[in-house]
Amino acid sequence: MSTVDDLDARLIALLSDQPQIGVLGASRELGVARGTVQARLDRLLERGVISSLAPTVSPTALGYPVMAFCTLQIQQRKGRQAVVDHLGGIPEVLEVHTITGGGDLLARVVARNNADLQRVIDQIVETGLVVHASTTIALAELVAHRTLPLAREAADRR
């Protein structure tokens, strides 16, 4: 069963389009009570539908215009946690996922330029916990990370 209804989907869309609107502004825009918006927002956060109200930060605007995806093979006997802890200490590593296929982990990383990307990759593999790294540089973002269409779809299914 869907975890969002039409009002939830409209609230998510409104906050996505106008993140600075606030609860009072959202209540006016949606035509519902301020308490209703706050309760819905609290429920969406509690259930993990909305993971954060933090601003979306642009790595490019911070001086990191190069984005790459690194497929990492790790030493299986050492376990994954030591590698995850190491990667979590590298600011340019934006996210890490376990994957199936030829690698064990997929990391999204950013860098100031190609030479800096080499520095980041060297830092990723320096501990010896990563036995092989294969890196693909992203040339252009054609569809940005998005979840709003999923919220609308979930509300429509309900």
Side-chain angles (χ1 to χ4, degrees):
M1 181 186 246
S2 176
T3 59
V4 299
D5 62 14
D6 182 61
L7 180 57
D8 291 333
R10 291 184 340 184
L11 176 58
I12 292 168
L14 180 61
L15 293 173
S16 296
D17 292 340
Q18 302 176 50
Q20 75 289 351
I21 195 166
V23 174
L24 182 59
S27 70
R28 289 177 179 154
E29 185 74 24
L30 296 171
V32 297
R34 181 189 179 287
T36 300
V37 170
Q38 187 64 60
R40 292 294 185 111
L41 190 55
D42 291 345
R43 189 182 77 209
L44 290 168
L45 284 163
E46 179 182 301
R47 291 165 50 194
V49 174
I50 295 176
S51 57
S52 173
L53 296 177
T56 302
V57 177
S58 166
T60 299
L62 294 176
Y64 295 86
V66 176
M67 182 186 305
F69 298 90
C70 299
T71 302
L72 308 175
Q73 293 177 351
I74 64 172
Q75 281 191 9
Q76 296 292 327
R77 71 179 191 279
K78 298 275 186 173
R80 165 175 76 226
Q81 194 56 51
V83 178
V84 171
D85 292 344
H86 171 65
L87 296 174
I90 302 171
E92 295 87 353
V93 175
L94 302 183
E95 57 186 294
V96 179
H97 302 268
T98 57
I99 59 171
T100 62
D104 300 305
L105 303 173
L106 180 67
R108 183 166 65 110
V109 303
V110 293
R112 291 185 216 89
N113 52 47
N114 287 352
D116 189 48
L117 178 59
Q118 182 62 62
R119 177 194 60 79
V120 173
I121 295 167
D122 290 345
Q123 195 173 358
I124 288 171
V125 301
E126 74 185 0
T127 64
L129 296 170
V130 174
V131 295
H132 181 75
S134 175
T135 304
T136 303
I137 296 175
L139 298 177
E141 183 179 80
L142 301 179
V143 176
H145 177 80
R146 62 196 185 118
T147 54
L148 189 53
L150 289 175
R152 289 184 178 132
E153 176 68 19
D156 290 346
R157 280 195 325 264
R158 191 163 203 235

